[in-house]
Amino acid sequence: MKRLLIIGIGAGDPDHLTIQAAKAIAATDVFFVIGKGEEKDDLIRLRRDLIEEHGRPPYRIVEGRDPERDRTADAYAEAVEDWRTRRAALYERMIDDSLADGETGAFLVWGDPGVYDSTLAILERLPFPFEVVPGISAVSALTARHRTTLTSVARPVHITTGRRLAEEGPTADDMVVMLDARCAFSGLDDFHIYWGAYLGTDDEILVEGPVGEVGDRIRELRAEARARKGWIMDTYLLRRRA
């Protein structure tokens, strides 16, 4: 039987790798790496560095190109479903072609695979059993770097997206927002924001303060960083001010 591991590798700092994750990498025969184009080659390089440091030869690295996703479609959910279907087909071909019975294959996933990632949802469609190794999430890295807590006493926290925040407005007193290309925090002046981009990497950027005071600065930094690198990965915590 083919064995698959989904290994959380942390938010970007190589030291985020847990002992369990390092052992899982050492036990892997084939690493499946999905490329996202030249502008994100540094993400592939970090994965290769972790494999080189913790893997046990002879191992193999199999690369595939991530299917393009229509980010302009009005039907967002349908566009994501189409992309996941094509990615599942890619994963199945890679596993069938490159992983022999009795071998262990692995996908190295940023952050924690169980917090905010599509890998598990895609692999659930395939006829292969898999195990999950948790990792340090971007949310954990964000709160640690800002020296704050994710939750407040007797208050829930809501994890959402920039798209949903823009459409629905604030849905809780404490919110973690992912994938906010629109800077949907604009105008939420009764909130304090803890923002971070490229968490755990040499390019890390951190901003914290009342939205009304630091919102413009975040938008400027985000635009500059995206123009410089060609991509950006950021997240933030919004907390309603007392």
Side-chain angles (χ1 to χ4, degrees), residues 69 75-87 125:
R69 198 178 94 197
Y76 174 77
E78 288 78 1
V80 171
E81 175 61 23
D82 173 70
W83 170 75
R84 286 186 173 184
T85 298
R86 288 182 288 120
R87 213 183 205 204
R125 306 175 182 212

Side-chain angles (χ1 to χ4, degrees), residues 134-149:
I136 294 176
S137 69
V139 179
S140 296
L142 176 76
T143 55
R145 294 293 288 128
H146 281 293
R147 297 179 298 175
T148 190
T149 58

